[in-house]
Amino acid sequence: MAELTTLGQLLGAANSQYQVYDLGRRVQHIDMMAFHQIEALNSPYPFPIQGHAQFALVFWNQHGQEFVWFLKLPLDEQGLLNPAARSQFIKMVLEALGKDLTQALSDEQQQQLDNHPFAFRPSQEKLALFNALVRKQLGQQASGQYEFAMQYLSGQLPPDQWQQLGFQGLADICVRLNDLDHLQAVSYALENAAPQAIAALCQCLEHVSIPAVLADKLLAGLKTADDQKLFYLRALASCADASTQALQWLAGQQQLNADTLLTIAARNWTALKQEQARTIYLEALALQEQHFFNQIFADIVSIPALRNELLTAIRSPERSVQLSAAIGGLFRATRT
């Protein structure tokens, strides 16, 4: 029997079909061709977070029964999967289950799979978005929370009934934003729902692609919100142009504080592809504590789509004295 060295080979040997979803910065589907390139170590993981790839493998047997692995695998300095860690996980699975990955598990087998070092538990909203996205892509119905969420968002229920809303119902609507009158309901809710409901809705919107008309509404909400600016900002994560506008407006309001900078790095990082926004961000980041600068810069420079631009930016002769000092501190920390 040929040695199984990749997750794709492992699932193929078990006659399982599968899909892959990133659960690091945002919940999003990873194209199978792209995942094969990642597994072959030909491409860096596209959405690294804190030096790891956090993703879900959804696979199912010939009877349509579904199974999920939530995996957190380390990456090397080039952003490639660590093959030793992957091999360790594959070995553990084979020792526990053999090739029948969809068998009923004994208590001992379940304990082995629950306690391995590469497992992680997604946050509540990410888990809701993941479940909604999988249901949609597999052609399944939305959850039982969908109906109440739709009634609430569309104004059929009073705003003070927000306590009965669940993330899962909101997620079901957000991943189906282009279906029925979902966009209309979401737009209505952003202007009329309780603040708590709007915050939860924004946490779901940050993981889906939003149309320009909704991005405009969220950007307007960001500019008028008192204590919920970060929720509106996160909801713009899929829209690079709107995220850039939000970053520039926040800078003009002297509101690029540590929480805002962290949010942009984690969710709205596509704004940093734009040179002016990138310069504003790095200059604001340089005003923070040195350890915070080091941590955030190390995180965003690991994103393949930003790496070259960020490395060029920190070498710019036009950078400020503060940014030069922060970069010097970063280099000193890496040498110790």
Side-chain angles (χ1 to χ4, degrees):
M1 181 182 69
E3 182 181 5
L4 302 177
T5 59
T6 71
L7 297 168
Q9 290 172 354
L10 175 65
L11 292 166
N15 296 317
S16 296
Q17 299 182 61
Y18 68 98
Q19 294 287 333
V20 188
Y21 300 83
D22 177 68
L23 275 77
R25 297 178 186 275
R26 298 170 59 221
V27 179
Q28 50 196 323
H29 182 256
I30 297 180
D31 177 77
M32 290 305 298
M33 185 62 68
F35 187 70
H36 290 323
Q37 290 297 309
I38 294 167
E39 283 242 82
L41 308 182
N42 292 328
S43 298
Y45 192 79
F47 313 114
I49 186 164
Q50 298 178 346
H52 287 77
Q54 291 186 185
F55 59 95
L57 282 175
V58 183
F59 58 99
W60 56 95
N61 59 22
Q62 57 185 344
H63 304 296
Q65 186 178 7
E66 299 162 22
F67 303 85
V68 181
W69 291 337
F70 294 114
L71 297 178
K72 181 179 180 179
L73 296 178
L75 304 170
D76 66 14
E77 293 182 355
Q78 284 74 45
L80 302 175
L81 281 180
N82 183 313
R86 179 181 56 186
S87 296
Q88 184 180 345
F89 173 73
I90 291 173
K91 180 180 179 182
M92 182 210 70
V93 171
L94 291 174
E95 288 177 350
L97 303 178
K99 282 190 176 182
D100 187 1
L101 307 182
T102 61
Q103 63 178 284
L105 302 182
S106 66
D107 291 341
E108 182 179 356
Q109 288 172 320
Q110 188 64 61
Q111 187 174 10
Q112 278 185 275
L113 291 178
D114 287 344
N115 296 325
H116 68 80
F118 308 112
F120 79 100
R121 179 70 176 176
S123 63
Q124 181 185 7
E125 73 271 13
K126 283 185 178 179
L127 191 58
L129 260 293
F130 168 72
N131 288 333
L133 192 58
V134 171
R135 284 175 179 267
K136 181 176 183 290
Q137 294 197 329
L138 296 183
Q140 299 173 353
Q141 290 185 342
S143 73
Q145 296 183 23
Y146 164 83
E147 192 64 37
F148 181 89
M150 189 60 188
Q151 290 176 356
Y152 180 87
L153 295 185
S154 60
Q156 299 176 52
L157 298 171
D160 61 6
Q161 289 194 20
W162 65 268
Q163 296 96 331
Q164 299 178 50
L165 276 175
F167 268 119
Q168 191 60 66
L170 295 174
D172 289 331
I173 292 170
C174 288
V175 302
R176 295 169 170 82
L177 205 55
N178 296 322
D179 297 350
L180 302 174
D181 52 356
H182 293 166
L183 179 58
Q184 180 181 348
V186 169
S187 297
Y188 178 87
L190 288 173
E191 295 182 350
N192 298 282
Q196 299 89 339
I198 293 175
L201 179 60
C202 286
Q203 286 178 272
C204 292
L205 288 173
E206 69 187 71
H207 300 287
V208 301
S209 296
I210 60 174
V213 63
L214 189 56
D216 290 342
K217 188 177 291 291
L218 289 165
L219 193 56
L222 167 72
K223 294 177 180 180
T224 57
D226 292 326
D227 57 354
Q228 290 191 305
K229 285 184 171 60
L230 293 186
F231 290 111
Y232 285 100
L233 178 62
R234 288 169 56 168
L236 293 169
S238 69
C239 186
D241 289 343
S243 291
T244 299
Q245 293 178 54
L247 186 159
Q248 293 171 334
W249 183 85
L250 289 165
Q253 299 296 309
Q254 303 295 311
Q255 293 183 20
L256 284 183
N257 55 33
D259 289 339
T260 307
L261 293 168
L262 182 60
T263 297
I264 292 170
R267 294 290 186 269
N268 306 79
W269 58 268
T270 54
L272 304 182
K273 293 181 179 181
Q274 203 270 347
E275 183 178 5
Q276 183 181 8
R278 187 166 59 246
T279 299
I280 293 172
Y281 183 87
L282 290 175
E283 293 291 349
L285 188 62
L287 299 177
Q288 302 297 315
E289 297 289 338
Q290 184 68 55
H291 69 88
F292 185 82
F293 179 92
N294 295 352
Q295 177 185 1
I296 299 301
F297 186 84
D299 186 48
I300 58 177
V301 80
S302 71
I303 301 174
L306 293 180
R307 183 174 178 82
N308 290 337
E309 288 83 355
L310 287 170
L311 292 177
T312 298
I314 64 172
R315 299 187 186 103
S316 171
E318 298 178 2
R319 65 182 185 267
S320 70
V321 173
Q322 292 91 340
L323 181 54
S324 296
I327 294 167
L330 172 66
F331 288 155
R332 287 192 295 274
T334 58
R335 289 197 294 265
T336 60

